[in-house]
Amino acid sequence: MSPPESRAARSAATPFPLLAGIDLPADLRRLPEDRLPELADELRGFLIDSVSRTGGHLAAGLGVVELTIALHFVFDTPHDRLVWDVGHQAYPHKILTGRRARMDGMRKQGGLSGFPRRDESPYDTFGVGHSSTSISAALGMTLAAQAKGESYQTIAVIGDGALGAGMAFEALNHAGSLEPNLLVVLNDNDMSISPPVGAIRNHLARLLSGKLYTQVREGGKSALRRIPQLKAFVGRWEEHLKGMVMPGTLFEELGFNYIGPIDGHDMGSLTATLRNMKTMPGPRFLHVVTRKGNGYKPAEGHPVIYHGVTPFDLKTGALQKRAGAVTYTKVFGDWLYDAARADRRLVGITPAMCEGSGLTRFAASFPDRYMDVGIAEQHALTLAAGMACEGLKPVVAIYSTFLQRAYDQLIHDICLQDLDVTLAVDRAGLVGADGATHAGSFDLSYGRAIPNLVIMAPADENECRRLLQTAFEHPGPAMVRYPRGVGPGVAVESGRAVLPLGKAELRRTGREVALLAFGTLVAPSLQVAEALDATVVNMRFIKPLDAELILELARTHRLLVTLEENAVAGGAGSAVSELLAAKGSEVRCLHLGIPDRFLDHATQREQLADCGLDAPGIEAAVRSALGESGTPG
């Protein structure tokens, strides 16, 4: 801990003097409780200032400032385990747990991750990035404590969107049957479960979490244990009484003692209720209502826009404009709108990623054909399968990293039945600042193993539109994977043109070396080809491969180089090698792609360079394979 004179000097030099004295939660717990609202104001101001310069997730963090302070104030973290769901709301948690000075490096190469990571801090008890994992992980920690004979509190903080996923309810159902020492905090920031709360509900929550009510409740259970019918009656009476004033009956039925809802910005209610609930036995469920973007008017008014932001002007809230080039996401959104106008059978489905996947225009124009199923990827795919069974043509817009969560449904419900479902797979490949949890590194590997699935990867924006139409018109499961951000800048043509299934495009004819590029790596391959006098093929299709062209290149070249923004293991290059081995070809192959490790957050350009997938890296790898003489070794 800093010496007093150092602490005073810092306080005089910073606009956040109280926060400057909080290096770790232990410092926070030494504050008088009546100063916590002042700390919340400073923490909120620091967060806005920090994210205005770095970009990142903002609105969710602003909504949990008071809750974060209250949790660290009441509980003995990191001895008590605090598990965040998804983690985009965890910036205030990072600021309070020894990382305030490193916030300027948020999501940058070598800097802090945008999500909790176990290897970053002992206060990050579970690594997250995907939704709805917190209750399962926290329950596992609680059961581990019981098995080891240790005593600590475990708290899972989950949002109302994440709570809608099946995995969260699976965990609730399991926990309710075990009587674990587990607290689940529902951060309800969308008013989707309850109406706004006020003083009366806060007062009821304090009463229901207090010692007197708990003693009566637990004492009644003990006294009535030998009179099952009467015990059941009293239990139902208690649940219905609470259900009259709050929406907790469902969680009570699952075995949790439900408290709330309470105002998540009322520090006194939060600390008092959490302190009471800390002493209560068994599984507990606290319902907290917060406002996303709270304390910053632009974020309050536009919480979706300010969920994840570029750097912005602190005074006006004006976001830094991105480059004007058309993104692949917009290409998809425009195609979907046009395709829906042309074919009334088209239905658009997304698991809670309307804006991120580019469905905003489609959703506004065709509300009856737009399905946002919430954070429920498995349901999204099987819903699409059911629609396809009845003659509709569903298009599922999903990030590559989230499609992983529905792998069984992709195999069993769609591909096994050869159903006409189009998968528009966004954020395929490296995604930059969001890091390893959001990278789409594996879809070619896990997708190409599935029978009946056609897989395509466009080299540019116009080809993306044409391949989307090709996938839509294919009478079976088809997947188009495209990257985050912009492409090489090729103009997009309107219309419904398709490309021949399984046919690659010869972009350049050279000697000795053939570069077989999949998707985004066509552009750097063309740069490298000039220096190497290499042949370049835009492969377009991972499944089916253009076997005829590959075998011809194997006969006329001495080195085949496959390039993909996907894991090398099991990816498109592996498919090429399998084809050549089956045909008895002995041509040398070099497979370039994402190496067998998880890549940390950085810019997409930095990540590509790290993998050797930029033009200099590709050229160096090929020259190394050729040997110093310039011919294959």
Side-chain angles (χ1 to χ4, degrees):
M1 189 175 66
S2 302
E5 60 272 15
S6 173
R7 181 72 56 82
R10 272 189 304 170
S11 297
T14 176
F16 310 108
L18 197 58
L19 180 62
I22 307 299
D23 294 321
L24 292 171
D27 301 320
L28 167 63
R29 291 189 280 271
R30 283 190 284 269
L31 279 180
E33 190 167 342
D34 60 5
R35 299 203 70 185
L36 295 184
E38 180 185 350
L39 177 63
D41 290 341
E42 291 192 14
L43 178 55
R44 184 169 277 110
F46 182 92
L47 177 62
I48 296 168
D49 178 68
S50 175
V51 178
S52 75
R53 286 180 277 107
T54 64
H57 293 105
L58 179 63
L62 289 174
V64 297
V65 166
E66 287 83 4
L67 176 60
T68 305
I69 292 172
L71 286 167
H72 282 295
F73 184 77
V74 172
F75 292 96
D76 183 21
T77 56
H79 175 72
D80 290 332
R81 274 55 164 177
L82 179 57
V83 182
W84 297 94
D85 208 284
V86 186
H88 52 239
Q89 79 279 47
Y91 289 16
H93 161 80
K94 293 199 175 206
I95 294 168
L96 294 174
T97 54
R99 289 166 279 183
R100 184 181 68 253
R102 298 176 59 198
M103 289 298 288
D104 282 347
M106 174 64 70
R107 291 158 44 96
K108 297 177 182 177
Q109 191 173 39
L112 294 176
S113 168
F115 302 94
R117 283 180 53 158
R118 282 173 52 81
D119 60 0
E120 188 176 286
S121 170
Y123 292 89
D124 293 357
T125 60
F126 194 73
V128 292
H130 288 188
S131 166
S132 313
T133 62
S134 61
I135 304 175
S136 296
L139 177 60
M141 294 175 185
T142 301
L143 298 179
Q146 293 177 3
K148 295 186 296 181
E150 297 178 1
S151 177
Y152 50 77
Q153 298 279 337
T154 310
I155 309 100
V157 184
I158 188 168
D160 53 301
L163 187 66
M167 183 176 177
F169 277 91
E170 291 171 12
L172 287 171
N173 182 58
H174 186 206
S177 67
L178 297 175
E179 295 284 321
N181 185 26
L182 171 67
L183 171 60
V184 175
V185 178
L186 170 61
N187 172 35
D188 178 4
N189 60 24
D190 199 31
M191 302 302 176
S192 59
I193 295 180
S194 68
V197 299
I200 293 177
R201 287 182 183 269
N202 288 338
H203 179 65
L204 285 170
R206 290 197 194 196
L207 288 176
L208 292 171
S209 66
K211 185 178 294 185
L212 176 62
Y213 175 83
T214 301
Q215 288 176 343
V216 171
R217 186 179 190 269
E218 297 304 315
K221 284 184 180 179
S222 177
L224 296 170
R225 186 170 292 128
R226 297 184 180 181
I227 317 174
Q229 291 179 331
L230 186 56
K231 178 186 176 183
F233 168 78
V234 173
R236 288 194 300 272
W237 172 83
E238 178 195 32
E239 290 170 6
H240 290 307
L241 179 64
K242 292 172 73 174
M244 289 171 64
V245 294
M246 59 198 66
T249 304
L250 170 62
F251 303 108
E252 292 278 352
E253 291 286 352
L254 288 170
F256 281 74
N257 188 4
Y258 171 92
I259 304 296
I262 66 171
D263 184 350
H265 303 296
D266 183 332
M267 189 69 78
S269 293
L270 282 171
T271 54
T273 304
L274 285 170
R275 192 178 288 112
N276 288 335
M277 297 189 78
K278 183 178 180 180
T279 63
M280 295 167 63
R284 294 142 288 155
F285 191 102
L286 174 61
H287 183 172
V288 177
V289 175
T290 62
R291 183 176 186 181
K292 204 168 185 179
N294 188 65
Y296 188 56
K297 291 296 183 184
E300 289 179 2
H302 303 281
V304 173
I305 293 174
Y306 282 84
H307 171 75
V309 294
T310 57
F312 59 91
D313 184 277
L314 193 62
K315 293 182 179 179
T316 66
L319 299 176
Q320 187 181 95
K321 291 186 178 180
R322 293 183 170 94
V326 174
T327 65
Y328 281 97
T329 299
K330 187 177 188 308
V331 171
F332 164 72
D334 290 345
W335 168 81
L336 186 69
Y337 172 80
D338 293 340
R341 292 182 63 191
D343 194 329
R344 293 184 58 82
R345 297 173 297 167
L346 186 151
V347 178
I349 302 171
T350 180
M353 295 303 297
C354 178
E355 292 80 14
S357 292
L359 276 74
T360 307
R361 185 185 182 197
F362 170 82
S365 302
F366 305 99
D368 293 340
R369 291 193 272 159
Y370 167 68
M371 304 285 171
D372 183 347
V373 302
I375 304 174
E377 295 87 357
Q378 294 171 305
H379 169 59
L381 264 65
T382 304
L383 175 71
M387 289 179 168
C389 286
E390 299 302 318
L392 296 183
K393 290 182 69 66
V395 177
V396 180
I398 190 168
Y399 288 8
S400 173
T401 186
F402 299 144
L403 181 59
Q404 296 165 185
R405 295 161 63 94
Y407 190 48
D408 178 61
Q409 287 68 34
L410 179 60
I411 296 173
H412 184 272
D413 297 339
I414 293 177
C415 294
L416 178 62
Q417 303 183 84
D418 201 18
L419 293 173
D420 188 0
V421 175
T422 299
L423 297 163
V425 182
D426 201 339
R427 271 62 166 181
L430 301 169
V431 295
D434 280 340
T437 60
H438 283 61
S441 305
F442 310 109
D443 54 74
L444 296 186
S445 300
Y446 67 68
R448 75 175 195 86
I450 308 173
N452 295 332
L453 181 62
V454 172
I455 307 174
M456 317 176 202
D460 56 54
E461 301 90 331
N462 190 52
E463 192 166 272
C464 183
R465 180 174 177 116
R466 296 182 72 184
L467 287 178
L468 284 164
Q469 189 66 35
T470 303
F472 184 70
E473 295 190 16
H474 173 67
M479 179 174 95
V480 182
R481 57 110 64 177
Y482 46 90
R484 180 177 193 168
V486 301
V490 175
V492 180
E493 302 170 359
S494 60
R496 303 172 64 191
V498 300
L499 293 169
L501 197 69
K503 292 299 179 182
E505 175 194 29
L506 185 64
R507 286 283 188 99
R508 186 186 190 279
T509 301
R511 301 181 304 109
E512 300 288 340
V513 177
L515 304 178
L516 280 57
F518 296 83
T520 55
L521 297 186
V522 171
S525 295
L526 288 169
Q527 296 178 44
V528 171
E530 294 299 322
L532 297 175
D533 190 19
T535 295
V536 177
V537 179
N538 169 20
M539 291 301 298
R540 286 180 174 160
F541 292 86
I542 294 86
K543 189 175 184 179
L545 287 170
D546 190 338
E548 182 180 352
L549 178 57
I550 292 171
L551 293 172
E552 175 61 24
L553 294 172
R555 286 191 290 270
T556 56
H557 293 72
R558 297 183 65 187
L559 177 66
L560 299 189
V561 182
T562 64
L563 304 104
E564 59 190 301
E565 201 171 325
N566 183 85
V568 171
S574 296
V576 171
S577 281
E578 290 164 13
L579 168 67
L580 294 170
K583 298 297 182 180
S585 173
E586 296 183 357
V587 66
R588 281 191 60 200
C589 289
L590 171 64
H591 300 311
L592 301 181
I594 299 173
D596 190 23
R597 58 185 170 89
F598 292 106
L599 268 72
D600 282 340
H601 48 280
T603 66
Q604 285 172 283
R605 181 173 295 181
E606 288 168 337
Q607 289 177 330
L608 287 167
D610 185 22
C611 295
L613 295 179
D614 58 352
I618 293 168
E619 182 176 349
V622 175
R623 289 194 182 280
S624 177
L626 292 173
E628 293 183 357
S629 64
T631 58

